[in-house]
Amino acid sequence: MWFLFSLFSILAWSGSDLFSKVGSKPEDKYSHWKMVIAVGIVMGLHAIYEMTLGGVEVTIHTILTYLPVSMLYILSMVLGYAGLRYIELSISSPICNSSGAVASLLCFLFLHQTMSGLQFIGVALLCIGVVAFAVLERARSADEIKAEKAVSGKKYTNSFLAILFPVLYCILDGLGTFADAIVLDSGILEERSANVAYELTFLFMAAAAFIYVQMIKKEKIHLVQEKPKFLAAICETAGQFTYVFAIAANAILAAPLIASYCIFSVLWSHLFLKERLSKKHYVVIAIVMVGIVILGME
């Protein structure tokens, strides 16, 4: 079942990536906080459903126990949403999702989780695909900037921020997945309880973001106009629900598999946003698909 849970998370999170890109406005410096608010609202509603009709029991102790994991994930996501403002100039989302390889390596070194030879080949293909996509996206961004003769206000390609966002995301998300494996593998928390604890923490973060943007910065928030952000939030919440089950069952394989969702994000962008892909992109997609098939067969 871990493989099916992983596939669902891939589809959901790649959809979240697509709608986040649509809803991200480069000129809006609070866009990432508005995205946090949308995700927090949807996750909060799902948490309420789980605790009432779903029968999931969550206490303050549950939330505090899972808090380190929640904060690693949430901080990485805030940085990811902020980085979307520079997505055409940064190393792009694929480098962020090298976090799957980081988590897999940590699980191997410290949790002594293992994989077969064929599974190792599958994971290697996924990691190669993620890195190759990062290189291709970097090259494409550089070509676009030259073609557009970017002005001073947009010269972020080699800037500190353009590199910092994806690197920090990769590290924090990888550590979050590793911490998740420890908590869920050890049986400290049950999967659904951990997920609800995460969602409630995100709801609190959304409330803090709302206070910051609306009351402190006096920036008007029109949630009705943020439909893409809420579609992204729904996909994000759905993917998170199956993600915890996948990580609990097989973290060393699920982490790099789910990290490949960035490749599908780029594919959806090509199909629905009419962004161009080269033949090299399709070769990388084929490599990743082979890796996914290998893991599905094992």
Side-chain angles (χ1 to χ4, degrees):
M1 286 298 291
W2 73 268
F3 183 72
L4 293 178
F5 285 138
S6 297
L7 287 182
F8 184 86
S9 291
I10 287 173
L11 293 174
W13 280 351
S14 60
S16 176
D17 225 12
L18 173 65
F19 290 120
S20 295
K21 289 177 184 178
V22 174
S24 180
K25 302 172 183 177
E27 70 279 4
D28 184 1
K29 60 182 179 180
Y30 301 111
S31 180
H32 55 295
W33 290 121
K34 293 174 183 177
M35 189 69 228
V36 169
I37 293 170
V39 174
I41 290 173
V42 174
M43 285 195 174
L45 291 174
H46 183 257
I48 293 171
Y49 169 82
E50 285 282 78
M51 290 187 294
T52 53
L53 300 179
V56 179
E57 294 185 9
V58 177
T59 64
I60 295 296
H61 178 263
T62 305
I63 295 173
L64 293 177
T65 299
Y66 201 65
L67 187 60
V69 183
S70 296
M71 291 313 299
L72 285 169
Y73 283 142
I74 291 173
L75 287 175
S76 70
M77 289 177 66
V78 171
L79 289 171
Y81 293 141
L84 285 176
R85 291 177 59 205
Y86 312 103
I87 192 66
E88 72 279 13
L89 306 174
S90 69
I91 301 177
S92 83
S93 61
I95 202 66
C96 297
N97 291 285
S98 298
S99 60
V102 172
S104 186
L105 180 62
L106 290 173
C107 288
F108 175 76
L109 293 175
F110 298 105
L111 300 184
H112 306 294
Q113 295 186 3
T114 60
M115 62 182 83
S116 68
L118 193 56
Q119 287 172 335
F120 179 81
I121 292 174
V123 170
L125 290 174
L126 293 175
C127 294
I128 290 171
V130 169
V131 174
F133 244 77
V135 173
L136 291 174
E137 289 296 285
R138 169 77 174 190
R140 185 169 66 171
S141 295
D143 290 340
E144 289 174 356
I145 291 168
K146 289 179 181 179
E148 294 171 3
K149 296 181 180 179
V151 294
S152 57
K154 295 184 178 181
K155 290 181 180 178
Y156 291 105
T157 306
N158 297 314
S159 72
F160 180 70
L161 282 179
I163 298 172
L164 184 65
F165 279 129
V167 170
L168 285 180
Y169 179 99
C170 176
I171 294 172
L172 290 173
D173 192 64
L175 288 173
T177 303
F178 174 63
D180 225 350
I182 295 175
V183 172
L184 298 178
D185 252 6
S186 62
I188 296 174
L189 292 178
E190 186 265 336
E191 288 90 343
R192 291 177 68 188
S193 296
N195 188 53
V196 171
Y198 170 72
E199 291 177 331
L200 291 174
T201 304
F202 216 121
L203 177 62
F204 176 81
M205 188 71 178
F210 181 83
I211 292 172
Y212 172 72
V213 176
Q214 180 83 20
M215 299 180 182
I216 297 178
K217 292 299 182 178
K218 307 298 183 182
E219 173 79 9
K220 292 295 183 181
I221 299 176
H222 304 284
L223 295 180
V224 178
Q225 300 175 7
E226 303 290 353
K227 291 180 181 178
K229 287 184 173 64
F230 278 98
L231 289 173
I234 291 170
C235 291
E236 182 67 38
T237 303
Q240 181 65 32
F241 181 76
T242 50
Y243 168 81
V244 292
F245 291 100
I247 292 297
N250 200 340
I252 195 170
L253 296 180
L257 175 58
I258 294 174
S260 69
Y261 82 84
C262 59
I263 279 89
F264 291 88
S265 299
V266 176
L267 183 59
W268 303 153
S269 296
H270 169 66
L271 293 175
F272 301 109
L273 301 182
K274 307 305 178 182
E275 294 183 359
R276 291 181 300 169
L277 293 180
S278 67
K279 292 180 180 179
K280 293 179 181 178
H281 282 88
Y282 287 110
V283 171
V284 174
I285 291 173
I287 291 173
V288 170
M289 292 303 295
V290 171
I292 291 174
V293 170
I294 288 174
L295 293 182
M297 292 170 55
E298 279 288 286

